[in-house]
Amino acid sequence: QVQLAESGGGLVQAGGSLRLSCKAPRAILSDFSGSDMGWYRQPPGKERELVATITPGRSTNYGDFVKGRFTISRDNAKRMVFLQMNSLQSEDTAVYYCTRTRPDSTTYWGQGTQVTVQG
């Protein structure tokens, strides 16, 4: 049973952009609207790290390395969260994971989507 499905990863040249999407197909609207949503990433050979989070009230938090390049957003009606990534660098190469933390604190992780930045 898929709780979260990411898409939008791929190969991009340094300086380029990608938009990641994550859908929660099984979530009911009220539960999704009350969930914290997030993106994490795991670069090759490194630990998983926080990229960005967004609360039900749309407050956002970003990893220090983001430095204004990425923007997290959500569309509750579509049960989706997005990560717009600009000015990508080779250091951003990683598997990116979507997370959803429900109001009861249950957390789901997606399968991950690969982002590879060349150059």
Side-chain angles (χ1 to χ4, degrees):
Q1 296 180 344
V2 176
Q3 296 289 345
L4 294 170
E6 301 106 332
S7 61
L11 177 65
V12 64
Q13 296 298 312
S17 299
L18 281 176
R19 187 190 193 213
L20 305 184
S21 299
C22 173
K23 187 174 179 65
R26 301 181 58 82
I28 62 172
L29 179 58
S30 59
D31 196 74
F32 184 87
S33 299
S35 297
D36 289 322
M37 301 299 297
W39 289 95
Y40 288 74
R41 72 182 189 182
Q42 187 164 17
K46 296 185 179 180
E47 297 291 318
R48 195 171 293 187
E49 60 186 356
L50 168 73
V51 179
T53 60
I54 185 167
T55 69
R58 301 179 190 272
S59 294
T60 58
N61 181 49
Y62 294 93
D64 290 341
F65 61 86
V66 170
K67 298 180 180 178
R69 300 179 299 135
F70 298 176
T71 302
I72 189 171
S73 60
R74 63 192 296 163
D75 185 333
N76 289 336
K78 295 181 179 179
R79 291 124 170 110
M80 295 187 73
V81 64
F82 306 96
L83 184 69
Q84 177 66 43
M85 302 188 295
N86 300 325
S87 302
L88 285 162
Q89 302 300 319
S90 57
E91 297 77 27
D92 297 314
T93 294
V95 178
Y96 285 72
Y97 297 91
C98 174
T99 66
R100 178 165 85 98
T101 301
R102 299 177 59 194
D104 67 0
S105 298
T106 302
T107 297
Y108 299 114
W109 288 77
Q111 295 288 325
T113 186
Q114 177 70 45
V115 171
T116 302
V117 184
Q118 275 190 342

